[in-house]
Amino acid sequence: MSQNTAPETAQQAAQEHGLLRTLVHATYWLDDGLQAYMKKRAGLSLPRAQSMAMIYLTEGIDRPSDLAAKLRVSKQATQQALKALQKKGIIEMMPDPKNGRQKHVVFTEYGRNLGDIAKMGLFELEAQLSRRIGVTKLKNLRTALDADWGEPNGFNAD
Amino acid sequence: MSQNTAPETAQQAAQEHGLLRTLVHATYWLDDGLQAYMKKRAGLSLPRAQSMAMIYLTEGIDRPSDLAAKLRVSKQATQQALKALQKKGIIEMMPDPKNGRQKHVVFTEYGRNLGDIAKMGLFELEAQLSRRIGVTKLKNLRTALDADWGEPNGFNAD
DNA sequence: TCAGGACGATCAATATTGTTGACTATGAAG
DNA sequence: CTTCATAGTCAACAATATTGATCGTCCTGA
């Protein structure tokens, strides 16, 4: 125990374990909302891992390895998500003409439309959230979450 | 489209889809940290669903159905988590003496110790986070997340 | 009372997501 | 040209979640 911030007893700690819980519930709220929106507006909703992949794909991250790094999951897990998206006709895999090892993910026309609808869904959900908790809280939420979550947590490193 | 807050185009929405992403990454940071802590301090780390169940169990939610409601997953999914915890010697299932339908989850001695260690881990992780992003941001994060995430999202209901 | 329905728990089958380990093929470096 | 790192893949498995069906138990109204 290298820091002086650990609680002396479990009793003290008992009041402090709500963050993980609320983060998970907030994530579920947003993800469930997105799935409901997609179901209604596009007739198809993607499971969470595939939605997450879509988010980065729409940001231009188009190589499986880069995608895996951004998602913080293994290349294999990423590949399974991509394979599922491919099967649904949302993306295609194209070999890199310059580099024989690499491949690139490209959207189909259908996939691009789906991505656009998803973005609007997330926009709408954040607007709902803004109405629910207020502009200030939402802004604070964004600000607080805008950290480098790739930082080590001190238990792997010390 | 019953509200007037939807973006006119996907272009406008493109800037607004970062919340889900950062929520997921923050959740991963906390959960990965907890698993590393438990591995180091208790020699055993629980997968996420089981950790989540433990959180509510330590709050006194001890009936499978209530647990499922709190976790917002199916009773069956909850049962699988409980079965796994039981197999690991962390909990036991006791029939309710008054009500023949109900069962109650009780901790084993080992399970209680494990829960206490987990609480301290979460406490320590939140302290780390406080050092990283600052007390104010963490407080804002807590405040913003302290909402009723069971509220409908408007796409299931309208 | 007792028949019907609601409720709590469980079993079974399946989908999705994630892991580790092993493998292939390409590119880069000496 | 050998060696090694990189990018992607295949296979097996663990964990989590779903839907659908089943089985007792409790509750309630005719």
Side-chain angles (χ1 to χ4, degrees):
Chain A
M1 220 168 282
S2 58
Q3 280 108 352
N4 60 354
T5 47
E8 297 305 312
T9 70
Q11 288 295 357
Q12 292 179 27
Q15 309 305 322
E16 298 292 336
H17 56 311
L19 192 55
L20 178 56
R21 196 183 59 189
T22 51
L23 276 171
V24 168
H25 286 326
T27 306
Y28 273 41
W29 182 86
L30 208 48
D31 186 56
D32 288 352
L34 179 60
Q35 296 211 23
Y37 181 94
M38 292 302 286
K39 189 85 179 204
K40 174 170 286 190
R41 306 279 190 251
L44 170 75
S45 67
L46 297 175
R48 182 146 14 153
Q50 292 168 36
S51 291
M52 290 292 291
M54 288 287 285
I55 287 176
Y56 287 111
L57 286 172
T58 61
E59 292 180 1
I61 313 291
D62 71 333
R63 285 194 350 239
S65 288
D66 292 345
L67 214 47
K70 285 286 188 182
L71 293 168
R72 297 191 200 294
V73 297
S74 63
K75 284 186 300 179
Q76 293 90 327
T78 303
Q79 199 195 12
Q80 289 177 62
L82 291 176
K83 196 175 282 187
L85 289 172
Q86 195 174 14
K87 200 167 155 191
K88 292 172 186 173
I90 293 169
I91 59 166
E92 286 174 345
M93 303 298 291
M94 303 287 282
D96 187 312
K98 303 286 183 63
N99 189 325
R101 279 183 299 188
Q102 295 178 184
K103 294 191 178 177
H104 293 272
V105 178
V106 294
F107 281 111
T108 61
E109 188 64 27
Y110 173 53
R112 199 168 2 259
N113 291 338
L114 214 59
D116 288 346
I117 296 172
K119 284 181 192 172
M120 288 190 281
L122 286 170
F123 184 92
E124 171 65 23
L125 282 163
E126 296 190 23
Q128 277 191 29
L129 188 54
S130 178
R131 265 175 261 132
R132 282 251 318 278
I133 70 177
V135 184
T136 306
K137 275 191 188 176
L138 181 56
K139 188 165 180 292
N140 285 340
L141 183 59
R142 275 190 215 281
T143 305
L145 286 173
D146 184 27
D148 180 7
W149 297 105
E151 282 284 310
N153 55 50
F155 300 123
N156 294 311
D158 65 358
Chain B
M1 217 170 283
S2 58
Q3 279 109 354
N4 60 355
T5 48
E8 296 307 311
T9 69
Q11 287 295 355
Q12 292 178 27
Q15 308 305 320
E16 299 292 334
H17 56 311
L19 192 55
L20 178 56
R21 196 182 60 187
T22 51
L23 276 171
V24 168
H25 287 327
T27 305
Y28 273 41
W29 181 86
L30 209 48
D31 185 57
D32 288 352
L34 178 61
Q35 296 212 24
Y37 181 93
M38 292 302 286
K39 188 85 180 204
K40 173 171 287 190
R41 306 278 191 254
L44 171 74
S45 67
L46 297 175
R48 182 145 9 150
Q50 293 168 35
S51 291
M52 290 293 290
M54 287 288 283
I55 287 177
Y56 287 111
L57 286 172
T58 62
E59 291 180 1
I61 314 290
D62 71 333
R63 282 185 4 229
S65 287
D66 292 345
L67 215 46
K70 285 286 188 181
L71 291 167
R72 297 189 200 294
V73 298
S74 63
K75 285 187 296 182
Q76 292 90 326
T78 303
Q79 200 196 11
Q80 290 177 59
L82 290 177
K83 195 174 283 187
L85 290 172
Q86 197 173 14
K87 201 169 155 190
K88 292 172 186 173
I90 294 169
I91 60 165
E92 285 174 346
M93 304 297 292
M94 304 287 283
D96 187 312
K98 303 286 184 63
N99 189 324
R101 279 184 299 188
Q102 295 178 183
K103 293 193 179 176
H104 293 273
V105 179
V106 293
F107 281 112
T108 61
E109 189 63 29
Y110 172 53
R112 200 168 1 260
N113 291 338
L114 214 60
D116 288 345
I117 297 173
K119 282 180 192 172
M120 289 190 280
L122 288 169
F123 184 92
E124 170 68 22
L125 282 163
E126 296 189 23
Q128 277 190 29
L129 189 54
S130 178
R131 267 175 260 131
R132 281 251 318 277
I133 70 177
V135 184
T136 306
K137 275 192 189 175
L138 181 56
K139 188 165 180 290
N140 285 340
L141 183 59
R142 275 190 215 282
T143 305
L145 287 173
D146 184 27
D148 180 7
W149 298 105
E151 282 284 310
N153 55 49
F155 300 124
N156 295 310
D158 66 357

